[in-house]
Amino acid sequence: MSAILEVTNLHHRYGDVQALAGVSLSVGEGEFVALLGPNGAGKTTLVRSIVGLIKPTSGSVSVAGGDPARASVRQRLGVVQQDVGFPRTLTVAEVVEGAAARAGGDPGAAPRALDEMGLSDVRRRRASNLSGGQQQRLQLAMGLVADPVLLVLDEPTVGLDVSARRAFWATLAERRRRGTGILLTTHVVEEAAAVADRVVVMDGGRVVAEGTPDELRRFLPGRRISARTTLPVEAIRAVDEVVSATAANDKVVITALRAEPVVRVLLQLDNNLNDLEIAAPSLDEVLADLTSHRKKVAA
């Protein structure tokens, strides 16, 4: 898989603040990479460097072999931001046509992008009068109109209902089949896990973990067990390999290093054990664990 995006040892400072401290990552052709991390992790600075809005203090960014600081390279990028205002006087079609012109696209690119995002019926409406979900789709149409080699998405599903989200992910899946690389930043962690090939976790201006969603879940050992039982919580806590046990409503929730031996003991101690559920850690829990060091230090 050839790389569409290559970020190598990127550093950036804002005065005394080190926003990026040696970040390296890549996005391959047709690959979907989710960039996750808490506020202040450096994600925004990294994205602004990738799309050519700031020049990093040191290190390099390459998009399709070129420097995104150059206009000709930026034309090969599609960018969908979370909150962008639209001019009051421009229609939906005029907004997308303007994006096509700036990207040097062909005259038919704007109608195709509007159709792809289901906006053809509102093409003559003022862009500023669209609903929140329609404005998000308009943003994506602007990002897709140049047929980008790399699509950078910042919280792209905010304001979309369930059916619009499905259509959105289907559109991206088709673009990926055509070779577009995608870099997504989002706080909807489990949604990212469902669509991403690879997840990159940032904290403190660094990449602290990287891998497939399943690989990252293995960073946090243990299993969560929940069940209805007559056993007291104190007795469950005494079972080997139980890390914690708490009562929640009419159930007990157990964190265990391994589920199987704990479940065997519970069944031996309580013949009426029922509603047993076993789950691996969620990616949300993994992310919280990987990025919790600053809280631990502060405590």
Side-chain angles (χ1 to χ4, degrees), residues 1-58:
M1 181 190 299
S2 58
I4 296 295
L5 170 67
E6 285 279 7
V7 176
T8 305
N9 198 28
L10 214 62
H11 292 75
H12 192 72
R13 299 187 70 89
Y14 298 105
D16 294 333
V17 178
Q18 184 82 46
L20 298 176
V23 174
S24 296
L25 64 83
S26 65
V27 178
E29 187 176 310
E31 186 180 24
F32 197 132
V33 176
L35 181 64
L36 306 179
N39 292 334
K43 302 188 303 296
T44 298
T45 300
L46 176 60
V47 168
R48 287 170 63 84
S49 301
I50 289 169
V51 302
L53 292 178
I54 61 174
K55 182 176 176 58
T57 306
S58 63

Side-chain angles (χ1 to χ4, degrees), residues 23-256:
V23 174
S24 296
L25 64 83
S26 65
V27 178
E29 187 176 310
E31 186 180 24
F32 197 132
V33 176
L35 181 64
L36 306 179
N39 292 334
K43 302 188 303 296
T44 298
T45 300
L46 176 60
V47 168
R48 287 170 63 84
S49 301
I50 289 169
V51 302
L53 292 178
I54 61 174
K55 182 176 176 58
T57 306
S58 63
S60 64
V61 179
S62 172
V63 175
D67 184 348
R70 295 167 49 199
S72 60
V73 175
R74 287 198 302 274
Q75 287 178 340
R76 307 194 69 188
L77 281 165
V79 182
V80 179
Q81 301 177 59
Q82 182 177 355
D83 295 307
V84 172
F86 297 103
R88 292 180 177 272
T89 59
L90 295 185
T91 66
V92 170
E94 288 169 339
V95 167
V96 180
E97 288 164 359
R102 289 190 295 274
D106 66 86
R112 287 196 299 271
L114 288 171
D115 185 60
E116 186 174 14
M117 294 313 303
L119 294 171
S120 295
D121 290 345
V122 295
R123 64 187 308 277
R124 293 185 176 86
R125 188 179 299 176
R126 303 289 185 192
S128 58
N129 292 336
L130 296 179
S131 69
Q134 287 173 324
Q135 289 192 356
Q136 283 296 96
R137 284 188 279 150
L138 178 55
Q139 284 263 25
L140 186 57
M142 293 171 63
L144 295 175
V145 74
D147 197 18
V149 295
L150 177 68
L151 189 59
V152 180
L153 308 171
D154 179 20
E155 300 288 349
T157 59
V158 172
L160 298 184
D161 59 25
V162 173
S163 60
R165 282 172 184 250
R166 290 196 190 107
F168 173 84
W169 295 123
T171 297
L172 294 189
E174 175 57 31
R175 288 290 177 148
R176 291 178 63 195
R177 283 192 287 271
R178 290 156 56 178
T180 301
I182 299 173
L183 180 67
L184 166 74
T185 66
T186 182
H187 287 90
V188 188
V189 175
E190 292 304 327
E191 185 175 63
V195 297
D197 299 310
R198 196 156 44 87
V199 175
V200 175
V201 181
M202 286 187 65
D203 192 31
R206 295 176 170 83
V207 172
V208 295
E210 181 177 357
T212 68
D214 285 342
E215 287 171 343
L216 287 188
R217 288 187 182 100
R218 289 196 284 272
F219 270 80
L220 192 60
R223 292 292 184 269
R224 179 184 288 111
I225 304 164
S226 65
R228 286 188 172 88
T229 178
T230 58
L231 293 171
V233 171
E234 292 76 13
I236 296 172
R237 289 175 181 154
V239 174
D240 286 345
E241 304 215 36
V242 169
V243 176
S244 66
T246 57
N249 299 321
D250 59 344
K251 283 190 169 186
V252 63
V253 178
I254 305 162
T255 302

